[in-house]
Amino acid sequence: MNLKISLLICLFFLIISCESNESVEEKVIPDAKIISHTILENNENFIKTQVDLEFSDSKNKFLEEHGVFWYKKSTPKRKINFGVLEASHFTAAISQGLLKDSIYKTYPFIKFQDKYIYGDTITFKSLFTSIITVNEILPKNGFINDTIQIIGKNFCVEDFRNSVYLGQFSQLDIISESDTLIKGTIPAYLKESTLPLTLKTRNTTTQIKDEFTVDEPILDSLSSGEKYIGDELTIYGKNIHSSISEVWIDNIKVEVLNSNSIDSFSVKIPKNLSIGKVNFKLKVIDKVIEKEKYFQTTTPFIESLLPQKVGFLDTLTIKGNYFKQKNSQLKVYVGNSFQSIVSHKKNEVKIFIDRYFNETEPKVKLEFNDFTIEEPRSNKTSSYQRFQ
């Protein structure tokens, strides 16, 4: 009896189990694939790609997201997300952040059934050319070492360093740059006082409508004190710089010493300057400042000889100025004979005539390293007559 009951129970559960299996249908999970990724266009305005898709269920093509990534080796990835889509393909046009002649990579993505799917990567060379705009430069005038700003848009700072040319020979020293602002300092060694500006960025050259004008020089003063041959004379003023300045003293072009100052620089005093106050000329690029009788030279000169007539064993006093020259030995000749110096001051030299001379009108000659000055004198009697 118990055995029959057990068999009936087993048979009941077996029948229920079979009916349950027959009632469950097999569940199929839909799938989506990116089957191709190609470039349709690559021009100055954009690059367009096409992405083709394949769905396991033609009735289920709903994408939660779709789009593309693009990047280059040295920059972060950029992304366009077009959102939802219900189709078997889509196109993407990329125009942001591209640099002309740069190499990029791009690949597509879709989000299907809460899962991201990625496609093949394509490498391309960009032909994109953005419109570079320069709105203004500030300030429009200044001098060496001044900072100017170039304001605009689409300046490239990712791959190609911006270059700003000042005229034909100079280039702005850039200190900072962004997509809309370039800052730089005016360099030394300018060749022109009115400078057209040219911007080179993204491998594109743009002529800037504004020009930069170099401020005109101002001459204030010269350093004080007597300046001898080889000494340094300092020139003070405004908007002057050794790299763009030339100086003439007494129409002699002098050596300019290098300096980074914009309000002073030095020159070396040349040889062969005239006696007294002489003319001075300063030229900064193409602007010239001239001053008459502006610089006092230290060229030696004779004012008087005492006594008026001299002979053997006489003492001759020579009065004048600047007889003490730096790094120079003085020699005195009377009648072409070298004579002994008794005393030597800045404004007076005394000599003892201890060597014979035969000239009836002997010349007194002072010989320095860089100067020779002569003064004719008549002697009181000939050497021969006096010492017979």
Side-chain angles (χ1 to χ4, degrees):
M1 183 68 179
N2 290 336
L3 180 60
K4 288 182 179 181
I5 293 171
S6 298
L7 289 174
L8 288 173
I9 292 172
C10 289
L11 180 61
F12 174 76
F13 280 107
L14 179 62
I15 293 171
I16 291 175
S17 175
C18 290
E19 289 179 353
S20 176
N21 288 339
E22 287 177 359
S23 63
V24 175
E25 295 182 0
E26 183 178 353
K27 186 175 182 180
V28 177
I29 300 174
D31 190 21
K33 295 180 181 178
I34 298 175
I35 59 174
S36 68
H37 180 209
T38 56
I39 294 177
L40 296 180
E41 293 184 65
N42 185 6
N43 55 44
E44 296 180 350
N45 300 314
F46 56 79
I47 178 169
K48 181 185 285 187
T49 63
Q50 178 169 309
V51 180
D52 293 314
L53 310 172
E54 183 179 86
F55 297 89
S56 60
D57 184 357
S58 60
K59 295 180 180 180
N60 188 354
K61 297 181 179 181
F62 181 78
L63 299 178
E64 300 161 48
E65 295 179 19
H66 73 293
V68 292
F69 287 93
W70 75 98
Y71 64 96
K72 43 195 314 275
K73 187 176 181 181
S74 60
T75 60
K77 291 182 180 180
R78 292 173 179 260
K79 177 182 178 181
I80 298 179
N81 189 339
F82 297 111
V84 299
L85 175 71
E86 192 167 1
S88 297
H89 70 274
F90 65 89
T91 59
I94 303 170
S95 61
Q96 294 182 349
L98 296 181
L99 304 176
K100 185 178 180 183
D101 296 331
S102 289
I103 304 300
Y104 289 87
K105 294 184 178 182
T106 180
Y107 62 89
F109 72 91
I110 59 174
K111 186 177 182 182
F112 182 74
Q113 298 287 313
D114 206 29
K115 176 184 177 183
Y116 283 102
I117 301 167
Y118 301 96
D120 293 336
T121 298
I122 296 176
T123 300
F124 66 93
K125 182 178 182 180
S126 172
L127 303 177
F128 179 80
T129 303
S130 61
I131 299 175
I132 299 165
T133 303
V134 177
N135 297 325
E136 191 176 17
I137 65 166
L138 292 173
K140 294 180 176 59
N141 66 284
F143 198 68
I144 291 170
N145 296 334
D146 283 352
T147 298
I148 67 170
Q149 302 180 52
I150 299 173
I151 303 165
K153 61 181 180 179
N154 294 328
F155 303 153
C156 166
V157 295
E158 292 181 353
D159 271 5
F160 302 103
R161 181 173 174 81
N162 291 302
S163 298
V164 180
Y165 296 93
L166 305 167
Q168 299 181 5
F169 308 100
S170 303
Q171 190 170 336
L172 194 70
D173 295 327
I174 294 177
I175 54 178
S176 67
E177 52 190 333
S178 69
D179 194 55
T180 58
L181 178 65
I182 299 171
K183 288 185 179 181
T185 56
I186 302 299
Y189 299 99
L190 300 172
K191 301 292 185 182
E192 306 153 278
S193 58
T194 300
L195 299 164
L197 281 79
T198 305
L199 169 65
K200 186 174 182 181
T201 185
R202 295 181 181 264
N203 286 350
T204 301
T205 300
T206 303
Q207 189 68 43
I208 300 174
K209 64 178 181 178
D210 293 331
E211 292 182 328
F212 183 83
T213 302
V214 179
D215 289 341
E216 293 195 6
I218 297 173
L219 174 61
D220 286 338
S221 62
L222 305 178
S223 56
S224 60
E226 295 176 343
K227 304 299 178 184
Y228 292 84
I229 293 173
D231 282 353
E232 293 184 11
L233 172 69
T234 302
I235 301 162
Y236 298 99
K238 295 178 181 178
N239 306 322
I240 58 177
H241 191 278
S242 63
S243 69
I244 57 174
S245 299
E246 298 174 279
V247 174
W248 289 261
I249 300 176
D250 195 23
N251 294 321
I252 298 173
K253 190 173 184 179
V254 302
E255 179 186 353
V256 175
L257 305 178
N258 289 333
S259 168
N260 197 39
S261 172
I262 61 171
D263 52 23
S264 68
F265 67 90
S266 298
V267 299
K268 278 196 173 183
I269 301 299
K271 300 177 182 180
N272 303 320
L273 293 177
S274 302
I275 295 169
K277 288 193 173 184
V278 297
N279 296 341
F280 182 91
K281 181 169 78 171
L282 168 64
K283 182 180 180 182
V284 181
I285 307 180
D286 53 5
K287 301 294 187 294
V288 176
I289 299 173
E290 294 187 88
K291 299 282 188 178
E292 292 185 1
K293 297 182 180 181
Y294 194 67
F295 175 72
Q296 174 66 55
T297 72
T298 56
T299 301
F301 59 91
I302 296 172
E303 288 181 337
S304 64
L305 299 173
L306 296 173
Q308 291 294 314
K309 294 183 179 182
V310 292
F312 185 62
L313 300 181
D314 283 342
T315 297
L316 175 64
T317 300
I318 306 169
K319 289 187 176 292
N321 206 352
Y322 306 117
F323 295 149
K324 285 277 191 180
Q325 293 287 315
K326 291 183 177 180
N327 303 314
S328 180
Q329 288 188 337
L330 174 63
K331 296 179 181 179
V332 180
Y333 297 83
V334 176
N336 290 324
S337 294
F338 177 69
Q339 308 297 340
S340 297
I341 297 175
V342 177
S343 67
H344 183 192
K345 300 177 183 178
K346 176 188 172 184
N347 59 355
E348 181 184 277
V349 176
K350 287 186 178 182
I351 62 169
F352 179 63
I353 300 175
D354 56 357
R355 288 180 174 83
Y356 293 108
F357 58 90
N358 294 314
E359 289 83 351
T360 57
E361 294 185 357
K363 291 183 177 180
V364 177
K365 181 170 69 173
L366 277 64
E367 187 176 275
F368 303 85
N369 288 2
D370 300 301
F371 303 95
T372 297
I373 55 177
E374 291 183 334
E375 185 76 12
R377 291 291 98 184
S378 60
N379 101 19
K380 57 186 178 183
T381 181
S382 71
S383 303
Y384 175 78
Q385 292 174 337
R386 181 165 183 185
F387 296 106
Q388 277 291 326

